[in-house]
């Protein structure tokens, strides 16, 4: 009985496969003008050394993956690990679109750890590199809060 059901389905699958396989060929034959070149901009990736049980390991990572990993640690209040991966991103991917949110989030993580001096450094870097952004306004307020925590009223 199982064989009978399969024998009825198999020709349909084979027919569908032929139709799908032939579709790009027909589409290519129908166009007489060359298509414009399309480029896809990808974030860079690197081999990154990451401490693992039993020693260091080398993994292939991109900025998005590091940012996601650090943000997950931050979301679980594992701020030390979050800072580690934010730092890896900032060290290995200096020109990625993730730099701005990484600087801000690293500052927040340092604040949560009570490391206000390190948070100040992150916010100052954000303000230096991204002064004309909405995030710079938020970073300015965070910066002021960090100075207040350090009782640095002249800054």
């Amino acid at each position: 009985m199982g064989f009978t059901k399969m024998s009825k389905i198999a020709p349909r699958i084979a027919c569908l496969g032929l139709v799908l396989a032939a579709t790009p060929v027909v589409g290519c034959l129908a166009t007489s003008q060359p298509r414009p070149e399309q480029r896809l901009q990808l974030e860079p990736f690197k081999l990154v050394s990451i401490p693992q049980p039993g020693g260091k390991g080398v993994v292939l990572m991109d900025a998005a993956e590091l940012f996601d990993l650090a943000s997950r640690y931050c979301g679980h209040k594992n701020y030390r690990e979050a800072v580690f991966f934010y730092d890896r991103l900032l060290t290995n991917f200096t020109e990625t679109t993730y730099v701005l949110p990484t600087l801000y989030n690293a500052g927040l993580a340092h604040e949560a750890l009570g490391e206000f001096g390190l948070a100040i450094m992150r916010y100052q870097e954000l303000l230096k590199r991204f002064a004309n952004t909405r995030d710079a306004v938020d970073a300015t307020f965070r910066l002021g809060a960090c100075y207040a925590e350090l009782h640095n009223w002249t800054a």
Side-chain angles (χ1 to χ4, degrees):
M1 189 168 202
F3 179 75
T4 307
K5 287 183 180 178
M6 285 304 292
S7 64
K8 290 180 182 178
I9 295 173
R12 290 182 187 163
I13 293 173
C15 184
L16 178 63
L18 288 174
V19 169
L20 291 175
T23 302
V25 174
V26 173
C28 291
L29 296 175
T31 59
S32 59
Q33 296 190 9
R35 293 184 179 192
E37 183 177 306
Q38 294 180 345
R39 292 181 183 249
L40 178 62
Q41 182 67 33
L42 299 174
E43 290 282 340
F45 60 89
K46 291 185 179 183
L47 293 172
V48 179
S49 174
I50 303 290
Q52 297 183 7
K56 286 189 175 182
V58 177
V59 293
L60 183 64
M61 292 194 129
D62 62 6
E65 195 171 1
L66 283 170
F67 184 80
D68 182 56
L69 187 59
S71 296
R72 279 188 273 144
Y73 277 119
C74 216
H76 291 290
K77 300 184 181 187
N78 294 326
Y79 300 113
R80 182 67 53 212
E81 291 84 359
V83 165
F84 175 82
F85 287 105
Y86 286 136
D87 286 347
R88 282 281 191 252
L89 190 153
L90 293 169
T91 300
N92 290 291
F93 301 98
T94 58
E95 299 301 319
T96 180
T97 57
Y98 289 94
V99 170
L100 188 152
T102 297
L103 286 168
Y104 189 82
N105 290 354
L108 292 175
H110 281 299
E111 279 188 70
L113 292 168
E115 300 170 342
F116 299 106
L118 294 172
I120 287 170
M121 290 172 52
R122 294 299 186 206
Y123 296 136
Q124 286 175 335
E125 180 68 19
L126 187 153
L127 292 170
K128 183 174 129 186
R129 293 182 65 180
F130 305 101
N132 297 322
T133 63
R134 290 184 335 153
D135 293 307
V137 175
D138 293 333
T140 302
F141 284 111
R142 301 295 332 153
L143 189 60
C146 289
Y147 282 127
E149 289 289 338
L150 295 174
H151 304 285
N152 185 345
W153 311 114
T154 59

